[in-house]
């Protein structure tokens, strides 16, 4: 997360100083297809975008619950930044939309494949990551590690290292039966590839102690924050969460809790930047006539 000081705010204009309002454009037509869409973000190769509508902008203000798309937006940006940080990381990580948590009981509305044609399939990544929400009020982060060990075609008899990490900033609101939920999700994400059913049904879910949010409204910021910290040393944090090689120090230090206080401001700045980009795209073609009643 970028370093920010009060002196910077006094001397330099940034998107943090802007009002959360959609950019003005004669080419954003109310009630048209995605007419109120003001920003959009995707993780590399992932089908489902994080679509930010005008209505969601108010939740970026202090003391507001974030939407599933804004929570996902944050995670997508963290994941993309990780891939861009060094060569050879494309098979390390895939980040999916928060709606993935309910994938196992969907009958419609989710694309057939979570990845674009030609992109590396979900199971080929070491870390499969997405926010989850069991109560429609609280988000947590789900990280599936080494899912490819469950593929019968790739690992018919060898050891299975697949585990699941649930990083939850409100332990009083744990996910309901996460093991069963993950089994259903992985079955869907396998897209017809045969899995080792016995090992899948006995998958281990870890819910380690992480920092706890001091309020009831910031939970949508924590999945992106947890992911950013985890990706700083993913193997070490995996071992920590499994209890194999725990870090020394309190959870507030291990999970860099002091950085969360800036997360909402920086997410707001990022969304505003994407809004400007979308505005430029809408205004790019000046040959398209506007409706007569505009």
């Amino acid at each position: 997360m970028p370093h920010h000081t009060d002196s910077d705010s006094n001397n330099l204009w940034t998107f943090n100083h802007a009002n959360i309002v959609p950019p003005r454009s004669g080419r954003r037509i109310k009630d048209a297809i995605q007419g109120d869409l003001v920003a959009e973000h995707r993780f590399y190769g992932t089908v489902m975008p994080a679509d930010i509508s005008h209505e969601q902008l108010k939740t970026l203000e202090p003391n507001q619950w974030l939407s599933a798309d804004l929570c996902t937006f944050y995670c997508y940006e963290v994941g993309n930044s990780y891939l861009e940080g060094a060569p050879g990381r494309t098979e390390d990580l895939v980040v999916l939309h928060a709606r993935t948590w309910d994938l196992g009981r969907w009958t419609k509305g989710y694309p057939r494949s979570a990845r674009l044609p030609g992109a590396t399939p979900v199971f080929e990544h070491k870390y499969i990551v997405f926010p989850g929400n069991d109560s429609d009020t609280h988000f947590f982060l789900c990280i599936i590690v080494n899912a490819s060990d469950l593929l019968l075609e790739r690992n018919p008899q060898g050891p299975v290292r697949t585990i699941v990490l649930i990083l939850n900033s409100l332990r009083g609101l744990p996910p309901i039966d996460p093991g069963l939920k993950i089994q259903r999700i992985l079955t869907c994400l396998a897209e017809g590839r045969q899995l080792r059913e016995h090992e899948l049904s006995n998958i281990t879910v870890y819910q380690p102690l992480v920092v706890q949010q001091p309020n009831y409204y910031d939970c949508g910021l924590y999945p992106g924050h947890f992911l950013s910290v985890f990706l700083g040393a993913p193997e070490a944090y995996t071992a920590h969460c499994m209890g194999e090689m725990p870090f020394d120090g309190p959870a507030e230090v291990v999970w860099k809790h002091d950085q969360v206080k800036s997360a909402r401001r920086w997410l707001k700045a990022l969304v505003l930047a994407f809004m400007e980009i979308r505005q430029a795209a809408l205004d790019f073609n000046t040959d398209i006539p506007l409706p007569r009643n505009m």
Side-chain angles (χ1 to χ4, degrees):
M1 185 174 295
H3 180 66
H4 177 83
T5 66
D6 291 338
S7 61
D8 293 336
S9 298
N10 294 331
N11 297 327
L12 297 174
W13 183 92
T14 71
F15 279 108
N16 293 322
H17 293 81
N19 293 324
I20 268 294
V21 293
R24 295 180 180 179
S25 172
R27 302 187 180 279
R28 181 173 286 106
I29 311 302
K30 185 180 180 181
D31 298 327
I33 294 177
Q34 295 191 319
D36 65 343
L37 183 70
V38 296
E40 182 182 81
H41 202 7
R42 295 175 186 266
F43 178 78
Y44 286 116
T46 294
V47 170
M48 186 173 288
D51 287 337
I52 311 304
S53 65
H54 180 198
E55 180 67 20
Q56 295 178 55
L57 295 179
K58 62 186 179 183
T59 69
L60 285 167
E61 299 298 345
N63 307 336
Q64 301 295 317
W65 282 286
L66 294 184
S67 66
D69 280 291
L70 282 167
C71 180
T72 301
F73 194 103
Y74 189 173
C75 291
Y76 279 178
E77 180 60 20
V78 170
N80 284 344
S81 297
Y82 174 78
L83 294 193
E84 294 164 358
R89 288 180 171 176
T90 54
E91 293 187 2
D92 282 358
L93 174 72
V94 61
V95 183
L96 304 176
H97 198 282
R99 296 172 70 189
T100 304
W101 183 253
D102 288 323
L103 181 59
R105 59 191 176 100
W106 281 23
T107 57
K108 59 181 179 179
Y110 198 90
R112 288 185 177 180
S113 175
R115 302 283 284 165
L116 294 169
T120 304
V122 172
F123 264 71
E124 305 301 324
H125 298 85
K126 184 171 184 178
Y127 304 105
I128 303 172
V129 178
F130 47 89
N133 190 328
D134 251 347
S135 61
D136 293 330
T137 59
H138 176 62
F139 292 102
F140 47 85
L141 184 68
C142 179
I143 303 175
I144 304 173
V145 185
N146 293 320
S148 63
D149 281 1
L150 290 168
L151 290 171
L152 189 62
E153 67 195 53
R154 298 229 348 222
N155 184 29
Q157 295 180 328
V160 173
R161 302 163 296 164
T162 310
I163 61 156
V164 180
L165 308 177
I166 301 289
L167 308 183
N168 183 7
S169 60
L170 275 181
R171 293 182 68 86
L173 285 176
I176 301 169
D177 200 355
L180 180 59
K181 186 69 70 73
I182 292 297
Q183 292 172 37
R184 293 171 178 171
I185 291 170
L186 286 173
T187 299
C188 293
L189 292 177
E191 299 178 11
R193 301 168 78 179
Q194 190 171 355
L195 302 179
R196 290 173 57 171
E197 295 296 335
H198 176 73
E199 288 77 7
L200 177 63
S201 63
N202 289 281
I203 196 168
T204 301
V205 179
Y206 294 90
Q207 301 190 58
L209 176 65
V210 295
V211 292
Q212 299 295 283
Q213 62 190 77
N215 53 52
Y216 56 87
Y217 45 77
D218 274 342
C219 63
L221 297 169
Y222 279 80
H225 172 72
F226 286 145
L227 180 58
S228 68
V229 175
F230 178 87
L231 291 176
E235 292 188 5
Y237 272 95
T238 299
H240 169 78
C241 292
M242 295 173 65
E244 294 179 347
M245 297 183 64
F247 295 124
D248 293 330
E252 286 75 12
V253 175
V254 171
W255 294 99
K256 303 180 181 180
H257 200 197
D258 61 318
Q259 296 183 6
V260 178
K261 60 187 178 183
S262 302
R264 187 180 292 268
R265 181 172 67 246
W266 286 107
L267 179 60
K268 175 181 175 180
L270 183 67
V271 171
L272 281 166
F274 272 70
M275 287 167 61
E276 295 291 336
I277 294 170
R278 180 165 175 80
Q279 179 61 61
L282 287 169
D283 291 337
F284 180 73
N285 190 340
T286 57
D287 296 330
I288 300 176
L290 296 176
R292 292 181 180 180
N293 59 353
M294 292 293 292

